[in-house]
Amino acid sequence: MGTRPPLAPGWQEEGGPLAPAALVEQEEDEVVSEEGSEESAGGSDGTCRAEDGARSSTVPTFDVPYFRYIDEEETEGEGEVEGEGEGDGEEGWSSSRSLSSIEEDSSGDSVVSDRYVVVSGTPEKILEHLLSDLRLDHDHQGSIQQTKESEPFLDDFLLTYLVVMSTSDLCQALLGHYCSKRPHRVKEDGKEALERKRKVLHLVTKWTTLYRDFLREDEHVKLFMKTLYRFVLDDLYEYPTLEKEQKELQKLLRLHRRHTVDEYSPNRKSKALSHQLSLKELQTRGTQIENREVLCHVYVSLDSYLSVRSPASVVAQGLLQQVAERLDVPQQELVLLAVTYTGEKLVLQPQARLYSDSLSAVGRLHVCRRDLSEVMNLFTDNAELPHRWARVLSMNTWDIAVSLTNFDWSIFNSIHEQELVYFTFSRHASGGHTAALELLLQRCNEVQLWVMTEVLLCSTLSKRVQLIKKFIKIAAHCKVQRNLHSFFAIVMGLNTAAVSRLSQTWEKVPGKFKKLFSELEMLTDPSLNHKAYRDALKKMKTPKIPFLPLLLKDITFIHEGNKTFLDNLVNFEKLHMIADTARLIRHCQEDHTGYGMPQKSGPEVRAYVDYLHVIDNQQTLFELSHRLEPRL
């Protein structure tokens, strides 16, 4: 994150230990940044280093130069900065907006270009500051819009709050802000109370819209939404202008309008409210689970499996039928087995479910003949094997790339930004929230293994050369189609040791294909933190599919390289970096043209790409490699 820069002129640090505080980060003026940095580089370098060593235990270091500590417990009127918001009546930390100028991020790396004052404090204080800092505009039609300046701060908080607080804690805090007056206020008139309630409801709307299905089955959120709705109904008598927010909240709950008095409202004697919670409807619709998909690994030999994309509710008979069609073997000759972790083999009944609600399989799935013999043996001299697994030679490379892109896009477009946060911070308790992300990561690994499998199962030298040429062209087409996920997988598959060691095969590859492959390899060069890839991705128009493993690596490095709490206060700059990285998903999914990424591909090619046969045993792959070209 860099060394701690000097304080702004006219600012002083207080001695002694810091009390629980809100840290406000002021952005550097561009002119000061350009001129002052050169002048102070030489003389003050040693002094700054000495100060860094003395203060590293208490002062966090961020990318921008000026810091200010303000006591979060100070009373009204205390701790205000000279020249800052005179007559505002707010504590210094909550009126810190005046310390910052919103400017466009010149780096270009941030998906959200506007920067804001970075606040460091306890999670509850950050939420309080966020609500107080939230500005809502009222247009001529009476609609409430959030000002552009407060959008990045709110977006960062909603994307990353799970890093520092639970959903239950957030629900309790929001209810507290909606119902209670702020503890540090002496008086709060009706207008201020109405504005406070509107801010909470606006935040809840943004939160539920952003998280969508992630909150559907959360019991804390269900109770919170019902409770908040009752409070809003109670407030309609005193604040009739909340009716628009009440209707928005009603839409979120998917309530039916009832021409009856609300039985939950203690104010029903004063005004007969015509809305009632339909608990039965809420439970019915709230428990609808989306039709999630899985990549079933159905082993057709000891070391190879067929990848089958199926709904999580698939049963044994349906999966067996798909595998039989792909293998071109009568279904009556096959049975589906589940090998448990203890090694026990179970013959699955036709209507047996293969995946639980948590998407865990009943065991390792095997397809074998009725006499329990293997469907195929990779090391048996079988005349059908080379013909069966070299079908890619007869297919058009552009069509294959299109089918790969369509497959990847259908998964990538369903990934939520929050999946990156869930995957990094709560992987073992994600409750299926990362299903789409894990599916695409699994697909990347399968495409890499598929490239290796196709090349190493081809026993004829001339056909192997043709296969390598095909895969180089497919990788180039994936790049043109802005599918860097499959692009990386194919290039990495050709670069694996088992394939790259086939010197006789690579010698026969024409020079123009070798040159093309070298140019493609440059894009996967990891030097300078994958600069070549990042520059190419930035130049590509949206929609596009990034290389997901690298995105997860970025978030992991941010998490491992920066403390979440500094002096028991949330390091919000870390949360901003995590949110900025996660927002890349949103950016890549944007489609300003309306045409999307999917293109038409032939049914034969699509069926082939949807059912990839791969060998997942590295030792078997090396044995096949040495069979083709023995070590001299």
Side-chain angles (χ1 to χ4, degrees):
M1 303 275 289
T3 58
R4 179 181 185 270
L7 292 172
W11 290 54
Q12 293 183 352
E13 287 189 288
E14 299 176 1
L18 292 170
L23 168 65
V24 178
E25 169 189 10
Q26 180 185 9
E27 296 195 43
E28 183 179 21
D29 185 85
E30 292 183 358
V31 179
V32 177
S33 175
E34 294 173 358
E35 298 178 359
S37 58
E38 297 180 0
E39 296 177 1
S40 61
S44 62
D45 186 56
T47 306
C48 288
R49 292 178 182 175
E51 292 178 356
D52 287 342
R55 298 168 182 158
S56 59
S57 60
T58 57
V59 179
T61 59
F62 298 143
D63 294 333
V64 269
Y66 300 144
F67 306 95
R68 181 176 174 218
Y69 291 93
I70 304 169
D71 186 0
E72 69 171 357
E73 300 299 337
E74 61 191 351
T75 57
E76 182 177 355
E78 293 180 359
E80 295 186 359
V81 180
E82 183 178 352
E84 177 198 340
E86 294 181 3
D88 190 55
E90 299 270 0
E91 276 85 344
W93 67 270
S94 60
S95 60
S96 57
R97 174 64 59 185
S98 59
L99 295 176
S100 169
S101 61
I102 304 298
E103 60 186 16
E104 186 174 349
D105 189 359
S106 60
S107 67
D109 294 334
S110 176
V111 177
V112 175
S113 59
D114 290 336
R115 289 302 303 272
Y116 52 83
V117 176
V118 176
V119 177
S120 182
T122 62
E124 293 76 14
K125 278 293 178 180
I126 289 180
L127 176 61
E128 183 180 338
H129 176 73
L130 172 61
L131 289 172
S132 65
D133 201 49
L134 196 61
R135 297 293 179 262
L136 301 178
D137 288 339
H138 301 261
D139 59 21
H140 63 282
Q141 297 179 347
S143 299
I144 298 176
Q145 302 291 336
Q146 181 181 347
T147 59
K148 186 177 180 181
E149 290 79 2
S150 57
E151 288 179 0
F153 187 15
L154 177 59
D155 199 49
D156 284 358
F157 176 81
L158 293 179
L159 279 174
T160 59
Y161 77 89
L162 285 169
V163 179
V164 295
M165 66 190 307
S166 66
T167 299
S168 175
D169 292 337
L170 178 61
C171 292
Q172 292 294 330
L174 288 174
L175 283 178
H177 283 290
Y178 182 87
C179 299
S180 305
K181 296 181 180 180
R182 295 181 182 178
H184 61 269
R185 289 183 181 270
V186 178
K187 294 181 180 179
E188 184 182 47
D189 57 27
K191 184 178 180 181
E192 291 175 330
L194 176 62
E195 190 71 10
R196 169 170 53 82
K197 293 176 184 294
R198 277 181 166 162
K199 289 181 179 181
V200 174
L201 293 174
H202 177 79
L203 189 149
V204 171
T205 302
K206 288 286 187 181
W207 177 39
T208 52
T209 303
L210 180 65
Y211 274 69
R212 292 176 286 179
D213 299 324
F214 280 76
L215 303 177
R216 180 179 294 176
E217 296 303 315
D218 193 307
E219 295 299 329
H220 296 293
V221 176
K222 287 181 182 180
L223 180 59
F224 163 73
M225 294 296 286
K226 290 187 286 186
T227 305
L228 181 62
Y229 185 75
R230 295 172 190 174
F231 287 155
V232 175
L233 290 178
D234 294 345
D235 288 337
L236 278 179
Y237 179 69
E238 184 176 358
Y239 306 105
T241 55
L242 282 179
E243 184 177 1
K244 184 179 293 291
E245 286 80 1
Q246 179 264 332
K247 290 181 178 179
E248 289 295 328
L249 190 59
Q250 186 182 46
K251 291 179 182 179
L252 294 175
L253 287 169
R254 300 178 181 180
L255 301 174
H256 284 296
R257 188 177 183 89
R258 305 289 185 181
H259 297 284
T260 56
V261 178
D262 181 21
E263 64 181 4
Y264 297 106
S265 176
N267 296 328
R268 60 186 182 273
K269 295 181 180 179
S270 303
K271 184 176 181 180
L273 300 176
S274 60
H275 300 289
Q276 181 178 2
L277 280 174
S278 177
L279 297 180
K280 183 177 180 180
E281 182 73 10
L282 181 63
Q283 292 170 0
T284 302
R285 298 193 176 192
T287 54
Q288 291 177 350
I289 302 175
E290 61 181 336
N291 191 14
R292 294 176 291 182
E293 291 185 318
V294 293
L295 288 179
C296 302
H297 293 175
V298 185
Y299 282 82
V300 295
S301 69
L302 187 62
D303 300 317
S304 68
Y305 64 81
L306 201 63
S307 177
V308 182
R309 184 179 181 181
S310 301
S313 58
V314 65
V315 295
Q317 184 178 6
L319 183 61
L320 188 61
Q321 181 180 354
Q322 292 177 285
V323 174
E325 292 176 359
R326 180 65 174 86
L327 296 177
D328 201 13
V329 177
Q331 182 179 347
Q332 296 77 9
E333 298 181 10
L334 303 176
V335 293
L336 186 61
L337 300 177
V339 181
T340 63
Y341 295 106
T342 59
E344 182 182 2
K345 295 182 179 179
L346 303 175
V347 178
L348 297 174
Q349 297 302 314
Q351 299 304 317
R353 282 196 60 180
L354 305 179
Y355 289 87
S356 64
D357 293 338
S358 61
L359 301 184
S360 57
V362 294
R364 178 164 160 159
L365 301 176
H366 283 258
V367 164
C368 59
R369 301 189 184 275
R370 290 203 170 270
D371 60 358
L372 301 186
S373 61
E374 287 187 341
V375 178
M376 65 178 62
N377 192 321
L378 300 177
F379 294 98
T380 301
D381 294 330
N382 188 343
E384 297 182 0
L385 194 60
H387 172 71
R388 175 179 292 168
W389 300 119
R391 290 172 54 192
V392 65
L393 290 175
S394 62
M395 298 178 182
N396 182 274
T397 54
W398 178 263
D399 289 342
I400 295 176
V402 167
S403 296
L404 288 171
T405 300
N406 290 346
F407 192 103
D408 292 347
W409 175 252
S410 65
I411 303 175
F412 176 73
N413 197 37
S414 65
I415 293 178
H416 297 177
E417 303 148 292
Q418 296 79 20
E419 293 193 38
L420 297 174
V421 179
Y422 273 96
F423 189 88
T424 304
F425 294 91
S426 56
R427 186 173 180 181
H428 300 293
S430 59
H433 289 321
T434 60
L437 176 61
E438 293 180 21
L439 200 65
L440 195 56
L441 294 174
Q442 185 179 340
R443 178 66 174 182
C444 179
N445 187 50
E446 288 179 355
V447 171
Q448 180 180 347
L449 292 173
W450 164 63
V451 172
M452 301 171 64
T453 301
E454 291 286 349
V455 173
L456 298 176
L457 283 181
C458 186
S459 58
T460 307
L461 177 60
S462 60
K463 288 187 176 181
R464 281 202 307 277
V465 174
Q466 294 180 41
L467 273 174
I468 290 179
K469 290 166 56 179
K470 283 267 188 182
F471 282 123
I472 293 175
K473 291 175 66 175
I474 293 171
H477 292 329
C478 285
K479 179 188 173 186
V480 171
Q481 296 171 16
R482 307 187 301 280
N483 180 9
L484 296 182
H485 198 72
S486 285
F487 165 81
F488 261 79
I490 295 172
V491 173
M492 290 189 300
L494 292 174
N495 270 329
T496 53
V499 175
S500 62
R501 66 168 297 276
L502 302 176
S503 57
Q504 299 176 26
T505 304
W506 283 97
E507 286 175 2
K508 298 291 184 180
V509 176
K512 65 177 183 179
F513 281 92
K514 290 182 180 178
K515 181 181 178 181
L516 175 60
F517 186 61
S518 298
E519 293 174 356
L520 298 178
E521 280 184 304
M522 292 176 61
L523 201 60
T524 64
D525 182 11
S527 61
L528 299 177
N529 194 20
H530 294 271
K531 184 179 187 300
Y533 159 76
R534 298 182 191 277
D535 290 344
L537 181 66
K538 191 183 302 182
K539 294 177 182 178
M540 287 182 177
K541 64 180 181 180
T542 59
K544 52 191 173 184
I545 306 176
F547 184 50
L548 264 296
L550 187 56
L551 200 57
L552 287 172
K553 172 192 169 186
D554 291 343
I555 288 190
T556 302
F557 270 52
I558 293 173
H559 175 45
E560 298 293 339
N562 301 275
K563 293 182 179 180
T564 305
F565 292 91
L566 297 168
D567 296 327
N568 296 321
L569 304 178
V570 176
N571 179 8
F572 202 84
E573 180 68 11
K574 172 182 177 176
L575 302 191
H576 166 71
M577 291 189 294
I578 292 173
D580 224 19
T581 306
R583 265 191 293 267
L584 183 62
I585 296 286
R586 182 192 308 174
H587 171 68
C588 291
Q589 291 173 345
E590 291 177 352
D591 182 14
H592 300 292
T593 63
Y595 295 108
M597 290 194 71
Q599 305 177 50
K600 291 184 178 180
S601 59
E604 181 184 0
V605 177
R606 186 168 60 251
Y608 173 78
V609 170
D610 287 353
Y611 299 90
L612 296 180
H613 173 255
V614 301
I615 301 173
D616 64 341
N617 188 305
Q618 294 295 326
Q619 183 177 352
T620 301
L621 291 169
F622 268 101
E623 289 181 17
L624 289 171
S625 178
H626 285 286
R627 262 190 162 201
L628 297 175
E629 294 186 18
R631 183 179 299 172
L632 300 178

